[in-house]
């Protein structure tokens, strides 16, 4: 349901990832944590006519939508496979590029996963990762979880991300890859109104919804009204403009 919204909302992050991936026709790309298809589907035409994109995720249900969209767009160079990043089912040196948009934050064993990324990269290849940066600067988070926190009187759970600059770069270097990291602030335009964003956020971010549900009914309504009003400050009538710091890390084998 939310795939079109997220594709638009995170398109600027996909653009930044692509700019650092140095894609060209003929390359073979492994996209990790592809979810419902991004950025794999955006990458696919950039490596035509001879290049391939392998989209991976832990859930087959996610990848089935990726396959459907690839067929609809005529991208016969997209393949999908259920895969655990900690134990990738691919031979050594299989890919020229590895990409991962907002997935590295959820790797349960980060060192092991990054060693697997290095293993499947060809010599001279590169991997590009994006992750959320410092939470206090993420407008989508301060407009939702921080608002509810004030009503609840407790500290909200931190969003998944790499809040301390250099953390992801250091992890990549420990995996025996040359790496560089930067944090850039990108405006992310969610295509919808505050109520739509709140509906998505409650469904997608379980810790936030759990916080909301701990409030008594009368305080819950007031808190959600406060969230909608705060999000409304960023509403231009078509989008919610939600600037966020994004970590961009590039690793070279």
């Amino acid at each position: 349901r939310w795939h079109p919204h997220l594709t638009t909302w995170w398109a600027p992050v996909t653009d930044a990832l692509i700019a650092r991936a140095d894609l060209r026709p003929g390359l073979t790309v492994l996209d990790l944590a592809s979810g419902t298809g991004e950025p794999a589907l955006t990458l696919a035409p950039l490596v035509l006519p001879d290049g391939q994109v392998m989209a991976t995720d832990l859930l087959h249900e996610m990848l089935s939508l990726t396959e459907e969209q690839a067929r609809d767009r005529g991208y016969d160079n997209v393949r999908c496979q259920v895969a655990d990043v900690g134990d990738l089912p691919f031979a050594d040196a299989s890919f020229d590029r590895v990409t991962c948009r907002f997935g590295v934050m959820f790797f349960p064993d980060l060192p092991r996963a990054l060693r697997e990324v290095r293993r499947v990269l060809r010599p001279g290849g590169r991997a590009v990762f994006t992750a959320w940066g410092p939470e206090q600067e993420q407008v989508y988070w301060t407009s939702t979880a921080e608002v509810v926190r004030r009503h609840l009187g407790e500290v909200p759970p931190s969003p998944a991300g790499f809040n301390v600059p250099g953390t992801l770069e250091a992890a990549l270097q420990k995996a025996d890859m040359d790496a560089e990291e930067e944090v850039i602030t990108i405006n992310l335009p969610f295509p919808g109104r505050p109520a739509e964003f709140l509906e998505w956020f409650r469904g997608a971010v379980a810790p936030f919804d759990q916080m909301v549900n701990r409030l008594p009914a009368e305080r819950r309504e007031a808190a959600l009204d406060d969230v909608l009003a705060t999000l409304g400050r960023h509403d231009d009538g078509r989008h919610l403009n939600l600037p966020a710091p994004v970590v961009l890390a590039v690793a070279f084998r």
Side-chain angles (χ1 to χ4, degrees):
R1 175 185 175 187
W2 295 105
H3 175 80
H5 290 73
L6 297 181
T7 297
T8 299
W9 186 29
W10 291 342
V13 179
T14 300
D15 292 342
L17 182 151
I18 288 170
R20 288 155 181 80
D22 188 29
L23 297 172
R24 55 183 182 271
L27 293 183
T28 301
V29 182
L30 171 63
D31 187 49
L32 301 172
S34 303
T36 55
E38 289 294 341
L41 293 167
T42 299
L43 302 174
L46 302 179
V47 296
L48 289 173
D50 301 319
Q52 300 284 326
V53 175
M54 175 64 74
T56 62
D57 200 272
L58 282 172
L59 298 176
H60 177 267
E61 293 82 1
M62 293 277 201
L63 293 175
S64 64
L65 181 57
T66 302
E67 292 176 327
E68 178 183 327
Q69 292 181 95
R71 287 193 300 270
D72 290 345
R73 300 182 193 188
Y75 296 160
D76 59 4
N77 66 327
V78 175
R79 301 289 181 270
C80 296
Q81 185 163 340
V82 174
D84 180 346
V85 70
D87 186 19
L88 292 171
F90 307 111
D92 296 355
S94 296
F95 299 96
D96 301 296
R97 300 287 186 271
V98 175
T99 57
C100 185
R101 190 192 68 178
F102 291 149
V104 66
M105 305 153 333
F106 303 106
F107 293 172
D109 186 337
L110 183 63
R112 178 177 175 179
L114 296 183
R115 289 194 298 270
E116 279 290 272
V117 168
R118 184 189 184 281
R119 180 184 65 79
V120 301
L121 266 177
R122 292 178 177 134
R126 69 172 65 185
V128 185
F129 300 88
T130 68
W132 295 116
E135 64 188 75
Q136 66 273 15
E137 301 171 35
Q138 296 173 17
V139 173
Y140 85 91
W141 189 256
T142 58
S143 299
T144 52
E146 289 288 349
V147 172
V148 173
R149 175 193 63 79
R150 292 196 294 269
H151 286 265
L152 195 60
E154 66 179 50
V155 177
S158 295
F162 289 87
N163 293 317
V164 179
T167 303
L168 182 52
E169 178 181 315
L172 289 162
Q173 290 170 346
K174 286 182 180 179
D176 198 23
M177 289 184 279
D178 294 329
E180 53 191 43
E181 174 192 307
E182 61 180 322
V183 180
I184 61 174
T185 297
I186 303 176
N187 181 51
L188 303 178
F190 182 84
R193 311 306 297 276
E196 287 179 277
F197 185 87
L198 180 57
E199 183 184 0
W200 168 76
F201 199 65
R202 290 193 68 178
V205 183
F208 172 75
D209 197 51
Q210 291 163 4
M211 271 203 313
V212 170
N213 289 330
R214 285 204 300 276
L215 286 165
E218 65 279 5
R219 291 171 57 198
R220 186 183 311 147
E221 183 176 352
L224 293 177
D225 285 345
D226 198 0
V227 169
L228 291 173
T230 306
L231 287 169
R233 298 171 192 166
H234 308 283
D235 186 359
D236 65 10
R238 296 174 53 249
H239 301 90
L240 299 183
N241 295 295
L242 304 171
V246 174
V247 177
L248 279 157
V250 184
F252 306 88
R253 177 173 178 186

